Structures are given as C-alpha cells and as structure tokens.
C-alpha cells in the first residue's frame, strides 16, 4: 500500500522525525520506506492520500486491566490496598461469569480501537474461561498483543483466590491453547503482585516461564504500604525486586513491571541487567495517590521505561492523555527536584510508541522493516483559524484530542475497523 500525508514518529527519546507531504510504502505487514518523492517503481499504483492529516505510530499500552475497564473513575479517594479490597477485587470476582466477561471485553476492545491502542499487554482475571475469551476476541478484533490470566493464591478474598496447583494447571492450559490457536495474541505470565502469590506459585510460574520461554507482567514498588507488606511476607529477601528475581520472574528482555516508583539503586541494577520494561502510569499514580516516579532519572540511569494507562487505576484508556499526563507530572516533579529535567511531550510520546513497541520487536516507528501500526490524525474543526505545523497538530492531539480525531487505524499493515457492534 502507498500512503501520502505528514508522518511523525519518535525513533529515540530525544529525536523526532517529521516528514511533511511524504509517501509511506508498505509491503505486507511492514513499512518499506518513507520518501519525499515517490520512487519510480511505485508510480501508477493506487495511493491513499490523507491530505493534511498527521500520521503517527499507533499506541502500545503495556499495562492495562481489561476487567477493570468498567470501574474507570470510581473510588479514587483511597490508596492502593484499600482501593483493591473495596472496588477492584469484588469486581474481578464477577468474571467467573463468562457471559458478563464477554460483554465487557467487547466494550474494552472497541474502546482500545477507538483511542488508537493497537497493541497492548493486559491483565485478565484469575478465571481461565474469561481470559481465553479475551485472547480470542482480541485476535478477532485485529488488534495484537499479550493477555495474561492472573494468578492469586493468597491474601485475596475467597471468591478471588485460587488453589495453587489449579492456578498453574489453568495457566499451562492457556499457554498451550493460545500457541495452538492464535496468531497475533500471546500469553503472558501474570502473577498479580507479590502479596497475592505464594512462593510455591511464584516458583511454578517461574518454571513455566523457562519451559515455554514466556513474557511476564506484574506490579512492583507502587505504594509504601505495599512495599512494607512485601518486606513482612519475605523477611529473608532484601528487596521487592529480588523477590521476583528469586523465583525466575524477571525474564530477560521479556518482563513488564508496572510502576516501580520506589526503587533502591540495587534494585535498579537488577532491572537494568534483566532489561525489564517499567510501565509508568501517571493517572494511576495520581488517582490512588501512589507517588511520582522519577522518570527522567530512571531513563538517564539506563532503565527501559514506557507510559501506560493502568485502567482502572488510570481512569482512561486514551493513551494520548496518558502521554500528556506523563509530561505534566514530570514538570511537577521538576519543580520539586530541579536537578531532574522534565520530560517533553514529544519524549513521552516516544515512550508510548517506539519505547514500548520495542517489547514486541520492530514496532512503533516508520522505519523499513517495522510493522505498520499507524493512526491518521485529522485536525479538530475548531482549530481552523490559525495555520499549524504538523508537529503543533500532534501536540494538540496529544493534549486535547480524542477518538473523533482519529480517521483511520492500521495494525500490522492492515486497516482495522471497529471490532464489535454492540
Ligand atoms: N497491584 C496489585 N493489583 C493491582 C491492580 O489491579 N492495580 C494496580 N494499580 N496495582 C495493583
Ligand atoms: Fe495495574
């Protein structure tokens, strides 16, 4: 396919490519190149001309809880552990009902599609059938990514606590089934967080990780009470990060840890060595008063970080808003810590596209060989009075855009339409 438009992408944290009135050519699922003049070998072929639109890489949301989608915005006047007990766990227990789950999954996937999240890594719940249905529906939607059945066998309500052996058996069944039946959606090991998983369960999951060479996702160092609890549960292990490591759950280059707000230098050494992706979730961190991640410092110290929504700790799946919020929070942090230069919105845009896309391989930039995942952004009709550059229009979309400004979405080289009629 051949597209014409204004292409913007951020191949590196501090580098932006802006190619105005350019041509992008795809071959199959991937980008062949972006050209200022259409190369003669493509002359005469049909062109999709997006005119003045700005075309950007689609968003990757590397930390989102699909079952919590229906709780967006609810119960944020308490902090993490009380929020989980009061609002999150009772909701998640409902997903034993696959019919309910399926209704939520369709709404969830429609929303991700609408806001331009073409790839993601999602938590489901402990329920095998519901998790499987989310995997199938994601594939059916034409979106890509990873889905994990959550594992929980301690410190959880009775109706949201698994038998350890059953949890491992259900997990292995989904690993095998998804490998046999799905092409673009993979399984990701998903121990909820250390307080929810016994040593035996973490050890079994670590072994499954080795056996099937799987990615892993969980939560790390999000809230002071949570960290204290982990210390009490594992007095013989010095840090939260080392608990995961002790059970083989920091799989090199294949692990996503949400938050990581409160990390010691020693923990950062391990996370760097294991090339763990830290998912920074600015809305969640402010909604349940978790804290401010020192994002600039972490990036300068060589940690791999991205921006994610953490719905429903975060109140919206719209990644453009999380991108803008990450820059805003970074500025507030800068005012308190002047030595930590704040991030620009073009940098947080990188973190939600190429920075996170690297977890999937060549994703998140318009370079040859990269998967063509893209959003076509059209201006808001109210912004018709001044001439704006493509970069200015991208900034306005990141801060105040929504799904009405996304004219088309592509994933893996294909146009994706709204997945489900409700
Ligand atoms: N830690 C353990 N479970 C959760 C969850 O569902 N959301 C958030 N934000 N943190 C958690
Ligand atoms: Fe989370």
């Amino acid at each position: 396919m051949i597209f014409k438009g204004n292409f913007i992408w951020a191949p590196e944290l501090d580098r932006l490519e802006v190619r105005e009135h350019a041509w992008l050519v795809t071959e199959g699922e991937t980008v062949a190149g972006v050209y200022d003049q259409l190369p003669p070998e493509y002359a005469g072929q049909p062109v999709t001309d997006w005119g003045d639109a700005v075309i950007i890489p689609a968003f990757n949301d590397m930390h989102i809880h699909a079952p919590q989608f229906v709780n967006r915005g609810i119960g944020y006047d308490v902090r993490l552990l009380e929020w989980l007990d009061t609002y999150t766990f009772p909701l998640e227990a409902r997903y034993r009902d696959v019919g309910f789950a399926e209704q939520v999954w369709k709404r969830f996937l429609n929303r991700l599609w609408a806001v331009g999240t073409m790839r993601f890594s999602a938590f489901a719940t402990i329920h095998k059938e519901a998790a499987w249905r989310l995997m199938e529906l994601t594939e059916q939607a034409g979106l890509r990514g990873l889905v994990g059945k959550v594992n929980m066998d301690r410190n959880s309500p009775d109706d949201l606590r698994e038998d350890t052996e059953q949890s491992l058996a259900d997990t292995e069944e989904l690993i095998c089934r998804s490998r046999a039946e799905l092409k673009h959606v993979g399984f990701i090991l998903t121990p909820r967080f250390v307080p929810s998983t016994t040593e035996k369960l973490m050890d079994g999951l670590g072994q499954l990780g080795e056996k099937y060479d799987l990615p892993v996702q969980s939560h790390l160092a999000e809230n002071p009470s949570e960290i204290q609890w982990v210390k009490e549960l594992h007095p013989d292990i010095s840090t939260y990060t080392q608990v995961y490591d002790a059970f083989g759950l920091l799989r090199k280059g294949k692990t996503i840890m949400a938050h990581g707000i409160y990390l010691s230098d020693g923990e950062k050494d391990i996370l760097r060595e294991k090339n763990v992706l830290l998912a920074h979730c600015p809305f969640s961190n402010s909604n349940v008063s978790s804290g401010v991640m020192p994002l600039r410092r972490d990036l300068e110290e060589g940690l791999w970080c991205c921006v994610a929504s953490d719905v429903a700790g975060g109140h919206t799946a719209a990644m453009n808003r999380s991108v803008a919020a990450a820059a805003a929070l970074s500025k507030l942090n800068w005012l308190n810590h002047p030595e930590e230069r704040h991030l620009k919105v073009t940098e947080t845009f990188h973190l939600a596209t190429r920075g996170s896309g690297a977890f999937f391989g060549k994703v998140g930039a318009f370079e040859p060989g990269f998967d063509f995942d893209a959003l076509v952004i059209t201006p808001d009709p109210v912004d018709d009075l001044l001439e704006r550059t493509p970069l200015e229009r991208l900034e306005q979309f990141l801060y105040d855009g929504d799904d009405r400004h996304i004219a088309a979405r592509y994933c893996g080289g294909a146009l994706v339409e709204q997945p489900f009629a409700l």
Side-chain angles (χ1 to χ4, degrees):
M1 295 190 290
I2 304 173
F3 301 95
K4 196 156 183 253
N6 300 299
F7 298 89
I8 304 184
W9 70 100
E12 290 165 57
L13 185 65
D14 54 1
R15 190 157 72 83
L16 203 64
E17 287 279 344
V18 182
R19 304 286 294 273
E20 293 187 42
H21 308 299
W23 278 266
L24 183 149
V25 178
T26 66
E27 272 162 24
E29 300 193 356
T30 60
V31 176
V34 179
Y35 310 97
D36 295 328
Q37 300 293 332
L38 188 65
E41 68 258 39
Y42 301 115
Q45 295 189 25
V47 174
T48 305
D49 188 346
W50 285 109
D52 245 8
V54 174
I55 304 176
I56 61 172
F59 295 115
N60 309 301
D61 191 345
M62 305 308 285
H63 185 70
I64 184 161
H65 298 263
Q68 297 174 24
F69 179 68
V70 286
N71 262 6
R72 295 173 338 282
I74 292 176
Y76 294 151
D77 293 323
V78 294
R79 297 184 74 178
L80 178 68
L81 300 177
E82 192 181 343
W83 175 77
L84 289 172
D85 285 338
T86 312
Y87 301 100
T88 307
F89 291 163
L91 169 66
E92 288 198 13
R94 297 196 52 175
Y95 289 78
R96 78 177 82 80
D97 174 353
V98 194
F100 174 71
E102 173 156 333
Q103 288 185 300
V104 177
W105 299 158
K106 288 182 174 171
R107 287 160 174 77
F108 169 76
L109 292 165
N110 272 356
R111 184 74 184 144
L112 292 194
W113 170 85
V115 298
T117 296
M118 295 293 112
R119 294 189 201 231
F120 59 84
S121 186
F123 283 51
T125 60
I126 62 168
H127 309 93
K128 178 180 69 178
E129 291 77 14
W132 171 247
R133 204 65 195 115
L134 178 58
M135 296 187 88
E136 277 186 316
L137 289 171
T138 303
E139 178 109 358
Q140 204 180 309
L143 305 182
R144 297 190 182 191
L146 299 162
V147 173
K149 185 205 95 65
V150 173
N151 304 98
M152 302 169 74
D153 71 340
R154 67 170 169 181
N155 299 315
S156 317
D158 289 344
D159 55 359
L160 200 65
R161 190 172 58 243
E162 302 171 284
D163 167 75
T164 309
E165 295 299 341
Q166 192 63 51
S167 180
L168 291 167
D170 287 353
T171 302
E172 190 160 18
E173 187 183 323
L174 287 181
I175 295 164
C176 296
R177 186 164 187 194
S178 56
R179 285 200 172 174
E181 297 183 34
L182 305 176
K183 208 164 148 209
H184 297 303
V185 180
F187 189 85
I188 181 163
L189 291 172
T190 308
R192 176 169 218 116
F193 68 158
V194 167
S196 303
T197 46
T198 61
E199 296 199 356
K200 189 173 163 205
L201 181 53
M202 287 192 276
D203 186 55
L205 292 172
Q207 288 181 36
L208 286 175
E210 275 302 299
K211 182 171 171 188
Y212 295 99
D213 190 22
L214 290 170
V216 184
Q217 62 184 351
S218 194
H219 295 91
L220 173 67
E222 177 178 5
N223 163 291
S225 308
E226 169 214 19
I227 295 168
Q228 182 57 34
W229 195 11
V230 172
K231 265 198 200 4
E232 288 160 18
L233 290 166
H234 299 276
D236 302 333
I237 303 179
S238 359
T239 64
Y240 197 162
T241 299
Q242 282 166 293
V243 178
Y244 287 123
D245 201 22
F247 298 102
L249 291 169
L250 298 183
R251 307 207 66 251
K252 199 163 186 172
K254 288 178 175 260
T255 303
I256 306 162
M257 284 289 158
H259 311 299
I261 298 172
Y262 305 98
L263 295 169
S264 66
D265 289 344
E267 289 180 280
K268 291 189 187 185
D269 288 340
I270 298 169
L271 296 168
R272 198 180 304 107
E273 204 256 314
K274 298 283 181 160
N275 201 20
V276 169
L277 176 59
L278 289 180
H280 169 52
C281 308
F283 284 135
S284 174
N285 294 168
S286 29
N287 288 336
V288 290
S289 309
S290 292
V292 182
M293 184 191 190
L295 186 55
R296 171 68 77 188
R297 185 156 25 111
D298 288 344
L299 288 164
E300 284 183 344
E301 289 172 356
L303 292 170
W304 182 17
C305 304
C306 67
V307 170
S309 75
D310 194 23
V311 160
H315 52 273
T316 175
M319 284 294 291
N320 64 304
R321 296 173 63 190
S322 281
V323 165
L329 205 57
S330 177
K331 287 171 190 173
L332 295 181
N333 183 57
W334 171 59
L335 297 176
N336 287 330
H337 304 277
E339 71 289 357
E340 272 178 50
R341 204 162 38 94
H342 71 75
L343 284 143
K344 303 177 195 168
V345 79
T346 48
E347 293 178 301
T348 54
F349 170 64
H350 163 84
L351 297 180
T353 52
R354 176 62 193 137
S356 46
F359 197 82
F360 297 112
K362 290 185 164 182
V363 170
F366 296 142
E367 319 240 316
F370 273 62
D371 281 19
F372 183 62
D373 287 12
L375 308 178
V376 177
I377 311 296
T378 49
D380 193 306
V382 301
D383 290 319
D384 61 346
L385 298 177
L386 300 176
E387 279 290 315
R388 293 292 184 194
T389 65
L391 177 55
E392 287 170 335
R393 285 195 270 126
L394 171 59
E395 290 175 311
Q396 288 198 308
F397 168 72
L398 291 173
Y399 278 95
D400 195 31
D402 59 50
D403 52 304
R404 290 167 301 175
H405 307 119
I406 307 180
R409 301 145 181 89
Y410 297 87
C411 182
L415 180 70
V416 186
E417 305 278 11
Q418 176 175 308
F420 304 103
L422 294 176

